[in-house]
Structures are given as structure tokens and as C-alpha cells.
Amino acid sequence: MAAESDDPELAERLAELGWRGPGFPTPPITRVAAYGLAWRGERVLLCRVAPGHLGSGSWTLPGGGLRFGESPEAAVVRELEEETGLRGRIAGSPEISSETGTWPLRGASVRFHQVRLVYPMEIVGGSQRDEAAGSTDTCDWFSAGDAARLKLTGLARTSLEPPGAAPDRDSEGGRHATDP
């Protein structure tokens, strides 16, 4: 089981759903998120999850949850720029996954249903920089070999697997609990 978290985005989402805090039942969450898979030659762009967020210290693809009314295509472009300073364009159709599981939150367990779209991206501009006070704290480009030695989220690991590889699942058949 993953370590408990004080993830501020998750706590805020639960509060919006009427959760009264530790000791009270948590409502289940459905989350739709869009991520970008960007390559520069043989190097992939990854972001490290910031302290205090689910999966803290793990490396993931740039991306995140859709805002109300936002399209997945707009979300992936926005998230890429927010987390890396880079501007991108979608370069193909997304890979779509749907998972259920439980996220550990300090004082509670949160059941989730997560739908994630991973878009191939082409970097078209911007200046690489780290996200300030966000869900990630740094970003960088890694070779596939270097990325394989990092602590990767299940999403990043699965996205970097060769086509046809078996999905990385936990013992209950869902994705790793630390993948927000």
C-alpha cells in the first residue's frame, strides 16, 4: 500500500463533494485527466511529482485533471505548459485507459474511477522550466534506459512500455494507488 498523503488537490476535490474530513466516509471520485507523451529524439519528457501530492517523488508524464467544461485536448496542452514551460501540439490519437482503485489520503481511503488520455505530443516552443507551487516540482528529458531506472508512476511506466507489453497492475487488478 502506498504511503498516506495530504494531497491538496484531492482534499479540495473531496471538500467540493461534501466530505467533512477524517473520520467521515469519503465519496468516490471520478477523474478524467489528459497527459502528454513527448519525445526529443530518443529522450522522453517526464515531471517529478511534488512533495505532499499522491506519488510524491515519482516521475510521470506532464498532464493532469480536466477543468470543468475543458476538452481533453485543451487540458493536455495547458498542463504541458503549466508543468514544463513548453508549448506543444497534439501529434496523434490518444491511448485511453480506465482504472479503479483506492488512493490513500491521511485519515481516509478514497475510491476512484480514473479515465486517462495519453496524447503523443510535439514540442513547438516555450522555454523549459520547473512548475512553481504545483503538483510537480521539476521536469527533464530522459533516455528510455535512464527513465527505466527512475521511480516511475504506473502511467509513465505503462506509457513507455513497448506495444503489446502486459499492463502494470497492482494485486487488485487496478493501477497503482499513487497515480493521480
Side-chain angles (χ1 to χ4, degrees), residues 68-136:
F68 182 79
E70 183 178 40
S71 72
E73 296 84 3
V76 70
V77 170
R78 173 185 54 79
E79 287 281 352
L80 175 70
E81 188 164 7
E82 282 179 7
E83 294 183 355
T84 70
L86 300 171
R87 290 190 320 276
R89 75 166 189 81
I90 295 171
S93 298
E95 291 290 324
I96 302 170
S97 64
S98 176
E99 299 88 30
T100 59
T102 303
W103 286 321
L105 183 68
R106 194 167 313 283
S109 291
V110 182
R111 290 181 340 185
F112 69 85
H113 173 210
Q114 181 164 241
V115 178
R116 297 185 290 192
L117 297 90
V118 177
Y119 288 91
M121 300 292 291
E122 176 185 347
I123 302 303
V124 296
S127 296
Q128 186 174 328
R129 53 129 180 93
D130 295 334
E131 182 177 24
S135 60
T136 64

